[in-house]
Amino acid sequence: RLVSVVTASSNSGAQCVRDLLQQEALKGKAKVRAVYRTKEKADAALAELGKHDNLECIHGVDAMKMDTLMTAFEGAEVAVIVTPHDAAVGFANDAEMCHNMVNAAVSCNVKHIVYVGSWTVAVSQYIKIISSRFASTEKLLRELGEQKKITWNHLRSGFFNQNLVHMMGHGVKAGKVRFPDMKIPCVDPRDMGTMAAFIACSDYAKEHANCCYEVSGPENLTSAQIVEAIGTAVGKKVEYEPVPIKEHMEKLPQFMKEVFHCMEELPDSIPCTDDVEKVTGIRARTLSAWLNENAAAFA
């Protein structure tokens, strides 16, 4: 079968491609089409991955231009669709781009779509801005499933590890992190890609059809435990000081205020599950392992 991965330059998409090519349990089970917008990204990916007989890298695909999307999905049986984001543009076009990709995949007779989305959809009444990037695409896929045009999976990502760099990085450098006292099951974005790869190579119609998976790390860590883990990774003592959520929210943009308000009202709103291991047979990557690889980001 041919598996098309769009966008293959994202953290999740890139890991999906790696696992489809290199994961021992998946080797040789699929042909892989890695899809990029620019030639530079496609060339960089090829340089990292090396040549594989079952790998095709294409570029020039723009999710806002339907005619380019047909080349991404033509002949594919499975599509892995990662919600794109252009920081320079903001969130405005994210949902439209996902709709375009889903509709193009259906037009090309793709049988199964693995959609990489977000936990915020389940609490969209609180987190309106971020969930708007994902909720309508989940709805579209459910409607297409009901019409028997496709089967699907939603992979709802939790709190990505790299968010800690933005939220705690300055405090780590200063030696003291002031942050609300909460529990977060931090997730390595690569686990999204690994799950997508295993689903794409499975008997998806029997094993995964129309299932929603909540993707989290294996541990529900307190803020103090997270700060301690970061300190260990960077090799320095970092003090943790809890602050009230309302105080922390004062300087945040509105989309992040919604997240923290939700976590104040619903402390367990970010799911902590073993869905990664259930789907792949492999335990989710730990925060400590990710920090050891990315300690320089906090330096």
Side-chain angles (χ1 to χ4, degrees):
R1 70 183 60 164
L2 173 61
V3 178
S4 181
V5 182
V6 192
T7 55
S9 57
S10 64
N11 288 321
S12 301
Q15 187 61 43
C16 180
V17 172
R18 288 188 206 102
D19 282 323
L20 287 168
L21 296 172
Q22 300 168 4
Q23 178 68 242
E24 200 61 41
L26 305 181
K27 279 184 180 178
K29 289 192 174 183
K31 295 179 181 178
V32 185
R33 179 181 293 151
V35 181
Y36 305 89
R37 193 161 87 168
T38 67
K39 185 177 186 299
E40 290 75 18
K41 288 183 177 180
D43 289 346
L46 270 175
E48 179 205 333
L49 294 166
K51 292 189 71 175
H52 295 265
D53 291 340
N54 60 332
L55 172 64
E56 173 191 10
C57 288
I58 67 171
H59 63 271
V61 174
D62 187 334
M64 293 298 287
K65 299 176 180 177
M66 284 294 289
D67 57 327
T68 69
L69 283 169
M70 297 305 172
T71 61
F73 299 111
E74 187 176 10
E77 178 178 336
V78 178
V80 175
I81 294 177
V82 182
T83 303
H85 178 59
D86 185 341
V89 177
F91 299 149
N93 296 328
D94 293 357
E96 182 180 356
M97 287 190 285
C98 286
H99 284 217
N100 289 345
M101 289 190 285
V102 168
N103 288 324
V106 172
S107 295
C108 290
N109 297 315
V110 167
K111 294 181 179 178
H112 189 80
I113 292 177
V114 182
Y115 173 58
V116 177
S118 168
W119 67 280
T120 59
V121 172
V123 285
S124 58
Q125 70 273 32
Y126 291 96
I127 307 177
K128 296 178 182 178
I129 296 174
I130 295 177
S131 67
S132 69
R133 302 176 58 211
F134 311 99
S136 62
T137 304
E138 284 199 8
K139 181 175 183 289
L140 174 61
L141 285 167
R142 287 194 299 270
E143 290 171 350
L144 290 168
E146 289 167 2
Q147 297 165 20
K148 308 298 184 186
K149 292 184 176 180
I150 202 140
T151 55
W152 52 264
N153 291 114
H154 301 151
L155 303 187
R156 290 180 174 171
S157 64
F159 183 97
F160 281 151
N161 293 342
Q162 62 264 37
N163 291 334
L164 297 173
V165 178
H166 306 295
M167 294 182 174
M168 297 184 177
H170 180 74
V172 171
K173 290 176 184 177
K176 177 191 270 189
V177 172
R178 301 180 74 251
F179 195 82
D181 183 15
M182 54 181 57
K183 284 191 172 183
I184 306 174
C186 305
V187 61
D188 190 320
R190 292 175 297 186
D191 281 329
M192 305 286 287
T194 298
M195 286 184 76
F198 272 83
I199 292 170
C201 290
S202 71
D203 186 355
Y204 50 80
K206 290 182 179 179
E207 298 173 23
H208 302 289
N210 306 339
C211 291
C212 176
Y213 294 110
E214 304 287 353
V215 188
S216 76
E219 305 159 302
N220 206 9
L221 301 173
T222 65
S223 298
Q225 289 173 318
I226 291 169
V227 172
E228 182 180 4
I230 295 172
T232 299
V234 301
K236 65 183 280 189
K237 175 68 176 177
V238 182
E239 184 181 348
Y240 168 65
E241 179 184 339
V243 298
I245 287 181
K246 283 186 170 59
E247 178 185 332
H248 182 74
M249 286 168 54
E250 288 176 358
K251 297 181 180 180
L252 296 177
Q254 182 59 32
F255 72 92
M256 286 306 302
K257 285 181 180 178
E258 292 182 354
V259 173
F260 280 91
H261 174 63
C262 177
M263 295 182 73
E264 182 177 40
E265 295 292 316
L266 303 172
D268 297 318
S269 55
I270 305 178
C272 185
T273 76
D274 61 353
D275 283 358
V276 173
E277 188 167 0
K278 283 180 179 177
V279 170
T280 68
I282 303 168
R283 188 170 185 255
R285 296 168 173 91
T286 64
L287 176 62
S288 294
W290 183 89
L291 287 169
N292 288 336
E293 294 177 37
N294 295 277
F298 294 90

